[in-house]
Amino acid sequence: MENQNKIKRYFEGIWTGIYTVLVGMAITWKHLWGHKVTMQYPDKFDPLKTGFIPEFSRNRLFVDIDKCIGCAICQKDCPIDCIEIETIRASKEDPEAVFPSGKRMSLWVSKFDIDFAKCMCCNLCTENCPEDCIYMIREFEFSVYDRMNLLCHFSKMTPEKIAEKQKIAEEEKAKKAAAPKQAPAAGQKPDNPKTE
Amino acid sequence: MESNFILELIGNNIWAYLVTALIPLIFVVVYALVAILGELKIASWVQDRLGPMRTGPWGIIQPVAEVVKLLQKEDITPRNANKPLFNTAPFIVFTGSFAAFAAIPYSSKFIPADINIGVFYIFAVSSFTVIAILMGGWASNNKYSVLGALRSASQMISYEIPTCLSIIAIAALANSLSVSHIINAQSGWFWNWNLFGGQGPLYKFLFIPFTLVLFLVYFVGSLAEANRNPFDIPEGESEIVGGYHTEYSAMKFAMFYFAEYANMYVVSSMITILFLGGWNSPFGNFLNSPIWQAVWFIGKAMFFVFVQLWIRWTLPRVRVDQLMHICWKVMLPAAFVSLIFISLLGVIN
């Protein structure tokens, strides 16, 4: 009885061996002539035209500078510091310091640079933006011939305008300094020795 | 010499023999390029990829690019290697594989060497590669290489026994070891092939189960002898880096690669000779002229090369104990039983 079982198992083993190989070969045969999933990207695959791009994909950043209030939260959030923001205080009397939406502007964004050579598309900067003015767009092709072309300037201010607004800001600051102080200055703390 | 049309064309002189030797060499080179492309394409198609597409239309000149790449690479010999053995091993591997082509026929009008022990010669010469593999593996002075070479030697020597028994059984069925005689014994329609019991009256149906078993035994054994999946444990990349050719680079590596592909064709053409009627057309005298015979022969052999590639991308690698189990406990008894029955039936008739 014991031996019969052994013999039975031996032949069953051979049969399952041959049978499972044939099953496997049938599966690979189907795949051999089946649909291929490779997309030949630049030649025959244009996701921008066909719209084949996931809704929440992380592509290239874009800044709607007309809405940016220059809070620099995105700059602080960026883990690799690829965003660089410089701002100028806007004068309250300046008639130009108004957003297109009609809101008053408190800071001129004189520089808003994103270095896409460094950007790792983590999407953290877009999370905390109070105005939702920095976001990912559908463009994902970054290739350029010169590395400097990856440094994108989003600020629309010309150098002349920057100089003008800086002048106004300095004048206002000087005026404030000349005016009598209403409260003692609170910002003159000595450097903390522990940090050094 | 009616089996070699070149001797009839040029006459019995040295040039005729040089041309006779050159044709298989050109054939091997062209075949290897086709097989490399086939490997790349079948691998990627099975995995639902497209494979090489950039080199030429549909990537068909990719193998040429690969050969050019291998030619440009630096030829490295490890400092502690045994240099003479290390440098000769790849050439002996290829010599072993290529020497078998001397007796492999293409059509009834072109058998480079129509010797009366052709099948035996092919089998003996192609098992020559095990020496070179052992040589290269040992001379590399690398643990992975030695392991791979030892595995290769144990595997190839073990699997030679059942494959050899199946060849003996077919030789008993055809009463000959000559390639042309075995093939001529299977002429006519495809049911005269040795796979389906060979030529003969009705009692040949008794042979069919045994010839089918022998066919399986020979096919599985030939996979193991050509170091192909699922028996590629001598080169198991995930276990022992590259096995016996770990230390080889550039053209010497290409020789190993080349020899493996040449060996695939040798075993496939052996299957064609022994079981599938060689150059005979499957449909009697239909399309059976010498040129069509070459097409049939190469087509049948290439089909088995394709099956080898297909199996490679289907099955995982077997373990060493499974390998030995399949050889000694399954294939050897099956081959013995078939041999005994075929010889008995042959004697009774």
Side-chain angles (χ1 to χ4, degrees), chain B residues 88-127:
Chain B
T88 46
F91 299 97
I92 292 176
V93 166
F94 186 67
T95 310
S97 301
F98 182 62
F101 277 79
I104 289 178
Y106 296 87
S107 106
S108 61
K109 286 274 173 245
F110 187 59
I111 311 170
D114 188 14
I115 41 183
N116 54 6
I117 50 159
V119 172
F120 174 70
Y121 167 80
I122 295 172
F123 189 72
V125 159
S126 58
S127 59

Side-chain angles (χ1 to χ4, degrees), chain A:
Chain A
M1 203 58 204
E2 184 75 1
N3 279 336
Q4 268 182 359
N5 275 339
K6 265 188 189 169
I7 292 165
K8 203 185 159 198
R9 248 184 289 145
Y10 172 79
F11 283 107
E12 268 176 4
I14 294 173
W15 168 246
T16 11
I18 296 169
Y19 177 72
T20 47
V21 166
L22 292 176
V23 168
M25 284 172 79
I27 291 170
T28 39
W29 178 261
K30 265 184 237 154
H31 282 269
L32 192 58
W33 309 110
H35 175 70
K36 304 287 173 277
V37 294
T38 308
M39 294 181 197
Q40 289 191 280
Y41 161 55
D43 303 345
K44 293 178 187 166
F45 170 64
D46 198 339
L48 292 179
K49 274 185 194 156
T50 55
F52 183 82
I53 219 169
E55 200 181 337
F56 295 105
S57 56
R58 296 177 189 170
N59 307 313
R60 194 178 185 132
L61 281 171
F62 181 75
V63 180
D64 191 355
I65 201 73
D66 287 339
K67 279 157 83 186
C68 179
I69 56 170
C71 63
I73 290 174
C74 49
Q75 187 185 13
K76 281 169 205 143
D77 279 347
C78 183
I80 42 177
D81 297 337
C82 70
I83 304 177
E84 248 181 79
I85 298 174
E86 275 174 19
T87 52
I88 305 166
R89 186 166 282 281
S91 163
K92 274 175 188 160
E93 287 90 50
D94 192 349
E96 282 179 9
V98 177
F99 285 111
S101 61
K103 227 169 85 181
R104 275 221 67 83
M105 191 189 279
S106 56
L107 290 168
W108 287 101
V109 184
S110 61
K111 185 181 177 190
F112 198 123
D113 288 0
I114 300 181
D115 191 350
F116 287 111
K118 289 182 193 163
C119 179
M120 62 179 190
C121 306
C122 66
N123 214 7
L124 284 176
C125 49
T126 68
E127 307 266 322
N128 287 331
C129 182
E131 297 290 316
D132 285 339
C133 68
I134 181 164
Y135 48 84
M136 295 280 184
I137 52 171
R138 291 162 73 84
E139 194 195 330
F140 59 94
E141 288 161 311
F142 284 44
S143 310
V144 287
Y145 281 102
D146 187 359
R147 204 190 304 156
M148 289 314 287
N149 293 344
L150 283 170
L151 186 63
C152 272
H153 311 289
F154 286 101
S155 178
K156 282 178 184 169
M157 292 174 79
T158 54
E160 296 86 52
K161 201 175 174 187
I162 291 172
E164 188 199 324
K165 299 300 169 194
Q166 228 154 13
K167 212 176 140 195
I168 295 173
E170 268 163 30
E171 276 169 9
E172 203 159 82
K173 205 177 172 186
K175 225 185 267 172
K176 258 190 188 168
K181 278 176 191 170
Q182 290 175 350
Q188 289 181 2
K189 285 179 198 164
D191 286 342
N192 197 341
K194 277 178 191 171
T195 56
E196 287 177 19

Side-chain angles (χ1 to χ4, degrees), chain B residues 44-102:
Chain B
S44 45
W45 287 349
V46 164
Q47 296 164 359
D48 285 349
R49 296 182 287 114
L50 283 173
M53 291 292 283
R54 295 297 160 110
T55 348
W58 283 82
I60 52 166
I61 50 174
Q62 181 69 29
V64 179
E66 303 226 336
V67 171
V68 171
K69 180 199 77 178
L70 280 171
L71 278 170
Q72 290 170 338
K73 290 228 169 183
E74 187 190 357
D75 183 22
I76 301 166
T77 308
R79 197 197 304 146
N80 291 328
N82 186 326
K83 284 188 185 62
L85 287 185
F86 185 84
N87 289 329
T88 46
F91 299 97
I92 292 176
V93 166
F94 186 67
T95 310
S97 301
F98 182 62
F101 277 79

